[in-house]
Amino acid sequence: MHVGGDAYGSVRVNPRRDRRSARGARTRRRGLVIAGALSCLVLGSSGVTWALTNYATTKIEAVDAGVPGSRSSTGAMNILVVGVDKRDNLTRKQQNQLKLGRETGERTDTMMVIHVSEDHSKVTVVSLPRDTWTTVPGKGLHKINAAYQLGGPKLATRTVQTATGLTLHHYVEVNVLGFIEVVDALGGISVCTPVPINDPKTALDLQPGTYSFDGVKALAYARTRATARSDLDRIDRQQQVISALLNQALSGETLTNPIRLASFVDTTLDTIRVDDALRGDLLGLADQLKDVSTDDVAFATVPLADVDYKTPTGESAVLWDKEAAKELFRRIAADETLVKPAKSAKPGKATPTPAASPSAPALTVAPSRIALRVLNGTTITGLGAQTRADLQRVGFLVPETPGNTPRKDFEKTVIRYGPGREDSVRTVAAALPGAELRPLESLGDRIEVVVGLKHAPAKKVTVKEAAASPTPSATPVATPTARTATDNICKK
């Protein structure tokens, strides 16, 4: 229907054939944007977008990454996305503006595996920590991000396949400037930090809150490690930025704005390389993804056993929790959903205490992946420091010096936590028997332990697969915390 065709607001109804055509065009355009947005990944110091237009195959460079491709755009597939920090083509002004330094050469700052479900209704993004200590085929033990430097895309692909056990069907590689241009083409994004960030290296000085960033600032936010959990916090920020990009790309401001949509596509054509099979079927994949929304995109990180591993060469690295990681990738290979349906995830706020009960779901987040802050809620001097040491002894991350609460009359120990941290809090509650759980939205994604007079020593907990079961269970076992893109979007 066309309304207001002249100064007097005439109405013209088009034939049904044209309406169907217009609707189909909108649907195809939405699929194009979804596929592009899902690939706008902030990979440490880089990002990516798939420019899916009729001329894309002539613009995007192909790369031989040793992947088999897939027979068509249908069916489940795993895509390795590699962010390459290549600075050789940057001007001195750009290097100074981006705070990147002047090193030459190429390095992978982060790797992600994207799993597209069999029916293409769900997408799972798994972040692989860049400091993962693993076997690089033919090269021995190295950090996973060294594979690209040692053997290019083919060795990077082989290394990830060896570590995860997954077959990688496609490969996408992007460079730092692509992400900046994509963010600017979308008109910027909104991000929210629950903790202060002061990082002279990236020129970021932020207090907790929500911010609107252009491409340069968004890149700095995704790259910084200047928070308690360093690279693990950075992975969380990267996933938040991906969610913000996806949300912005799917908004009416983009889908109904042909200039912005064209800019979103065109600014990224020269920033990515993909395997030849994917380059030839981008439009087919876009059509398959046309119904995906932010509720259908889940983010996870490989569960870790040691976040402060010292390698034989003296480097700081991280070690995967082998059994939990094996279960994670088994579930992905089996096309299982990592995120519970929304209707079963929300009641936690009204009845938080069952998290510590014997009938609660199996623990899914290891202490080594949980950062806590300890507050002394009593008049007993030194109780906070004692509790901090106790929690560190059983494997939790407690980077900050203990503080004190204004009130000094806490009888029981209280575990306070922000939205989305229920899985982690179950582990904390298991280590602090008798503690009271208290959701607190203003905490963001933080967890605080307020020590009371009736406190019990922290006990060691083990996070592993549930009792052996040869068949897949509907209840998640031994998996990392998974969140949807909708969960990651800053609440207004």
Side-chain angles (χ1 to χ4, degrees):
M1 178 177 292
H2 179 75
V3 181
D6 56 31
Y8 299 97
S10 66
V11 178
R12 182 177 75 251
V13 179
N14 294 323
R16 178 172 296 183
R17 181 180 57 189
D18 291 341
R19 290 171 56 198
R20 278 203 308 266
S21 177
R23 187 183 303 115
R26 287 195 297 272
T27 300
R28 288 191 297 273
R29 184 167 63 243
R30 187 176 186 278
L32 180 154
V33 171
I34 289 170
L38 286 174
S39 299
C40 297
L41 306 182
V42 182
L43 303 178
S45 62
S46 40
V48 60
T49 193
W50 292 347
L52 305 183
T53 65
N54 289 326
Y55 60 91
T57 54
T58 64
K59 297 284 288 183
I60 297 176
E61 182 182 349
V63 59
D64 182 5
V67 291
S70 52
R71 288 187 296 272
S72 69
S73 58
T74 60
M77 63 179 69
N78 301 313
I79 305 168
L80 175 61
V81 182
V82 173
V84 177
D85 184 1
K86 182 180 180 182
R87 310 176 187 182
D88 297 355
N89 58 342
L90 298 181
T91 66
R92 180 67 60 87
K93 180 179 179 180
Q94 288 172 322
Q95 290 174 337
N96 291 336
Q97 181 187 25
L98 302 177
K99 309 293 183 182
L100 291 177
R102 296 185 173 86
E103 295 95 335
T104 59
E106 298 182 13
R107 58 197 59 79
T108 52
D109 225 24
T110 306
M111 295 176 175
M112 291 184 178
V113 174
I114 297 178
H115 174 76
V116 181
S117 65
E118 176 75 26
D119 61 2
H120 286 203
S121 67
K122 302 287 183 183
V123 176
T124 302
V125 183
V126 183
S127 300
L128 310 181
R130 54 173 278 168
D131 292 338
T132 295
W133 191 246
T134 191
T135 299
V136 177
K139 304 293 182 179
L141 290 169
H142 292 275
K143 290 184 181 181
I144 199 167
N145 68 338
Y148 188 96
Q149 291 175 277
L150 294 171
K154 284 187 175 180
L155 188 57
T157 299
R158 288 180 59 202
T159 300
V160 173
Q161 288 188 145
T162 299
T164 64
L166 296 174
T167 296
L168 299 175
H169 303 97
H170 294 295
Y171 175 91
V172 177
E173 176 185 308
V174 294
N175 196 15
V176 58
L177 288 182
F179 167 69
I180 297 172
E181 294 170 353
V182 169
V183 173
D184 289 340
L186 291 174
I189 58 171
S190 292
V191 300
C192 44
T193 175
V195 297
I197 300 175
N198 186 0
D199 184 4
K201 292 182 178 179
T202 58
L204 275 186
D205 187 2
L206 307 174
Q207 292 302 312
T210 300
Y211 297 86
S212 294
F213 283 158
D214 62 10
V216 172
K217 281 288 188 181
L219 176 63
Y221 180 76
R223 291 180 61 234
T224 182
R225 297 189 186 192
T227 48
R229 294 166 66 240
S230 187
D231 193 50
L232 301 182
D233 279 341
R234 189 175 75 158
I235 286 174
D236 290 341
R237 282 189 290 273
Q238 292 168 0
Q239 294 179 350
Q240 182 191 140
V241 171
I242 296 168
S243 302
L245 281 166
L246 180 59
N247 185 56
Q248 184 72 358
L250 293 179
S251 70
E253 295 177 2
T254 299
L255 290 173
T256 62
N257 186 330
I259 296 177
R260 177 172 290 182
L261 182 60
S263 178
F264 169 70
V265 171
D266 292 340
T267 55
T268 57
L269 286 176
D270 295 324
T271 67
I272 69 172
R273 302 199 300 170
V274 303
D275 65 276
D276 197 56
L278 182 59
R279 186 179 66 159
D281 199 26
L282 288 173
L283 290 175
L285 180 60
D287 184 64
Q288 289 289 318
L289 293 174
K290 64 181 179 292
D291 295 323
V292 171
S293 72
T294 55
D295 289 332
D296 303 317
V297 181
F299 295 94
T301 304
V302 179
L304 305 176
D306 190 345
V307 297
D308 193 24
Y309 175 71
K310 296 300 180 185
T311 73
T313 58
E315 301 172 86
S316 293
V318 298
L319 296 180
W320 292 3
D321 182 325
K322 292 183 178 180
E323 291 303 313
K326 180 180 178 181
E327 173 64 10
L328 167 65
F329 293 116
R330 182 203 66 77
R331 295 190 67 193
I332 289 174
D335 218 22
E336 296 180 18
T337 302
L338 299 185
V339 180
K340 298 177 183 178
K343 64 181 181 180
S344 64
K346 292 183 178 179
K349 185 172 183 179
T351 55
T353 49
S357 69
S359 59
L363 303 182
T364 60
V365 185
S368 61
R369 292 209 64 230
I370 302 173
L372 307 172
R373 186 187 181 205
V374 174
L375 300 172
N376 188 350
T378 74
T379 58
I380 303 174
T381 302
L383 184 58
Q386 175 188 326
T387 303
R388 179 195 186 203
D390 207 23
L391 289 165
Q392 288 176 322
R393 174 183 57 80
V394 297
F396 290 94
L397 302 173
V398 194
E400 298 181 53
T401 302
N404 298 291
T405 57
R407 285 175 45 202
K408 303 295 181 184
D409 58 350
F410 281 81
E411 287 288 325
K412 298 176 65 176
T413 293
V414 176
I415 303 170
R416 306 193 296 207
Y417 60 98
R421 299 307 304 274
E422 290 81 6
D423 288 348
S424 296
V425 166
R426 284 205 304 272
T427 301
V428 181
L432 296 172
E436 177 185 333
L437 305 188
R438 190 174 299 170
L440 193 61
E441 192 166 341
S442 61
L443 278 178
D445 66 354
R446 289 172 291 169
I447 301 176
E448 294 180 341
V449 174
V450 180
V451 189
L453 286 171
K454 297 179 180 179
H455 68 281
K459 70 175 187 178
K460 193 172 183 64
V461 296
T462 303
V463 177
K464 59 182 180 180
E465 292 185 59
S469 175
T471 58
S473 169
T475 302
V477 292
T479 62
T481 303
R483 294 167 60 88
T484 68
T486 302
D487 293 332
N488 283 339
I489 296 169
C490 298
K491 302 299 183 287
K492 301 295 184 183

